[in-house]
Structures are given as structure tokens and as C-alpha cells.
Amino acid sequence: ILIVFGNRMNILIQIKKIISDVLNVSISDLEMGSSPDNTENWDSIKHMDIIASLEEEFSITFDEEEIFEMMNLEIILIIIQEKVAIQKY
């Protein structure tokens, strides 16, 4: 369980760094509920930049449905965790 938790934290840190870089906001400003509705600079164009950066960072691809679902940090984390877990097997 500790390993899974550790991986989750590492993934979360990577996601926060990417979102922070793309949106030009502080990592400390990003919370699990961060979304386009409450995060500075997070518009539809920046959302696609975030998606592209996440795909590159984690060597994964998202389908259209996932991209539309990925509207807050927590959902992004869950979707990436699922994809990374599948990738390992």
C-alpha cells in the first residue's frame, strides 16, 4: 500500500508541476479541486496544452471523452493513475 501511495504522490507532484508550468501559477495554488472555474489562466487552449504535456510526460494518450472529463486536478490524477497502472502490465 505504501508503494501505491508513493506512486500516487509522485504522479500528483508531476501533474501539479505540469499544470503550474502551463498556466504560470504557483504549485502551492493548485489543490485537488483546482479546475478551469477556479484557476487563473486555465482556459480551453491551456487545457489542451496541459493534456499534451501530460501525454508526453507519462507516455500515454487520452481519448476525447477523457479529455472532456479531466476538468479538475483530482480527476486528472485518477485517469492518469489508471493509465499508468495499465501500462505496467
Side-chain angles (χ1 to χ4, degrees), residues 12-74:
L12 179 59
I13 290 165
Q14 288 173 277
I15 293 169
K16 280 185 166 188
K17 177 156 181 19
I18 287 168
I19 294 174
S20 164
D21 289 347
V22 171
L23 301 181
N24 197 26
V25 297
S26 171
I27 288 178
S28 62
D29 290 341
L30 298 172
E31 301 171 347
M32 291 303 254
S34 293
S35 72
D37 294 331
N38 60 25
T39 306
E40 191 177 348
N41 302 328
W42 193 340
D43 59 21
S44 57
I45 293 169
K46 292 291 188 185
H47 185 70
M48 294 311 297
D49 291 344
I50 291 168
I51 297 299
S53 296
L54 292 169
E55 287 179 329
E56 185 177 335
E57 175 73 20
F58 293 100
S59 301
I60 55 179
T61 56
F62 302 109
D63 62 35
E64 205 172 293
E65 184 179 330
E66 289 167 330
I67 292 169
F68 284 117
E69 288 175 4
M70 296 170 72
M71 284 299 165
N72 72 36
L73 187 54
E74 185 173 19

